């Protein structure tokens, strides 16, 4: 099937995503680039009513996000799209994204329709050159934590949560300053926050929010941990 109508504004302005990412912060761009960045891919998987009309996501529209386990040595506790580095057996960037999504969340690759690939994005902090792969699942398979040692949480985050101005702010830490989202028990920031921000803005889904609301990252990490504790308690 083709993409639902509400995804057309995003797919028609993929160049805008790249432009937004280039503007995501001079401090990040100023970091020394890796001499030999490693190839990687992430899967940006949307689902939601395939028959919804108009340019606005329907109420049931979501995007799949994961939260890394707190015991990991690198990027512990951070929220990300499913994805990872390219392995020798991977045929292409799409294969990387689908394999990693399956390994991390149990997502069935055959439930995903690939819609587009963005240009590679260099992430100096981690030394990767990342290709975001946009997919859509009209009938998404079940997902969940596959390996608790790697992933703490898998969640289909409602797009309405991410678009809501009340859930948006900026975070800062040392040289870093960038957009962030309070998405239920998750704090979305960094590379993923910048990419989510670029997707929402490029699709024309953005609603005015207070970009002057700049919060210390450490405070928001603690706030997210408190939300997660409440979330887990309510889930029992």
């Amino acid at each position: 099937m083709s993409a639902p109508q509400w995804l057309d504004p995003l797919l028609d302005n993929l160049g805008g995503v790249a432009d937004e990412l280039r503007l995501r912060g001079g401090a990040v761009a100023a970091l020394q680039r890796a001499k030999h960045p490693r190839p990687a891919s992430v899967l940006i998987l949307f689902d939601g009513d395939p028959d919804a009309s108009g340019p606005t996501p329907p109420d049931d529209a979501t995007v799949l996000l994961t939260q890394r386990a707190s015991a990991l040595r690198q990027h512990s506790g951070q929220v990300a799209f499913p994805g990872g580095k390219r392995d020798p057996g991977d045929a292409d960037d799409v294969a990387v994204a689908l394999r990693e999504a399956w390994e991390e969340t149990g997502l069935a690759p055959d439930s995903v329709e690939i819609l587009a690939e963005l240009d590679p994005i260099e992430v100096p902090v981690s030394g990767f050159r990342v290709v975001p792969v946009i997919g859509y699942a009209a009938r998404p398979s079940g997902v969940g934590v596959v390996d608790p040692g790697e992933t703490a949480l898998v969640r289909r985050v409602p797009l309405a949560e991410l678009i809501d101005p009340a859930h948006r702010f900026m975070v800062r830490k040392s040289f870093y300053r960038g957009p962030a989202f309070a998405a239920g028990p998750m704090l979305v920031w960094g590379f993923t926050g910048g990419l989510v921000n670029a997707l929402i803005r490029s699709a024309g889904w953005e609603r005015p929010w207070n970009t002057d609301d700049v919060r210390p990252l450490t405070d928001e990490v603690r706030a997210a941990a408190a939300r997660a504790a409440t979330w887990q308690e309510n889930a029992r």
Side-chain angles (χ1 to χ4, degrees), residues 2-118:
S2 59
Q5 189 178 58
W6 53 271
L7 277 174
D8 285 346
L10 172 61
L11 298 176
D12 290 342
N13 190 29
L14 295 179
V17 178
D19 291 341
E20 287 294 334
L21 288 171
R22 279 193 289 271
L23 296 172
R24 72 185 187 275
V28 174
L31 289 173
Q32 183 177 359
R33 294 182 180 276
K35 291 183 179 180
H36 304 288
R38 295 166 290 172
S41 296
V42 296
L43 179 65
I44 303 171
L45 181 66
F46 295 101
D47 67 48
D49 187 352
D51 299 318
S53 60
T56 305
D59 292 341
D60 66 343
T62 74
V63 66
L64 183 63
L65 292 175
T66 69
Q67 183 167 338
R68 292 169 61 83
S70 59
L72 292 175
R73 294 177 59 187
Q74 293 185 326
H75 308 296
S76 62
Q78 289 192 18
V79 173
F81 293 105
K85 65 181 180 179
R86 186 166 184 165
D87 285 349
D90 292 321
D92 51 29
D93 295 315
V94 170
V96 178
L98 291 175
R99 174 184 57 76
E100 287 283 346
W102 173 72
E103 292 177 355
E104 293 177 7
T105 74
L107 177 74
D110 60 5
S111 71
V112 179
E113 180 182 2
I114 300 301
L115 302 178
E117 297 177 51
L118 297 177

Side-chain angles (χ1 to χ4, degrees), residues 191-212:
F191 170 76
T192 305
L195 186 47
V196 170
N197 177 71
L199 292 165
I200 290 174
R201 181 169 292 185
S202 300
W205 300 336
E206 188 173 55
R207 293 159 55 192
W209 59 285
N210 185 8
T211 57
D212 293 326

Side-chain angles (χ1 to χ4, degrees), residues 143-224:
V143 293
V145 173
V146 174
D147 181 357
E150 295 285 338
T151 306
L153 179 65
V154 172
R155 184 174 180 237
R156 287 191 169 100
V157 178
L159 285 178
E161 280 187 21
L162 298 169
I163 295 170
D164 187 344
H167 297 162
R168 303 195 62 181
F169 46 89
M170 302 286 286
V171 292
R172 58 175 170 81
K173 179 183 178 182
S174 183
F175 58 82
Y176 175 82
R177 172 175 165 152
F181 303 78
M186 293 177 161
L187 171 65
V188 186
W189 67 283
F191 170 76
T192 305
L195 186 47
V196 170
N197 177 71
L199 292 165
I200 290 174
R201 181 169 292 185
S202 300
W205 300 336
E206 188 173 55
R207 293 159 55 192
W209 59 285
N210 185 8
T211 57
D212 293 326
D213 181 6
V214 183
R215 308 176 187 181
L217 176 60
T218 51
D219 290 354
E220 291 311 308
V221 169
R222 285 194 291 267

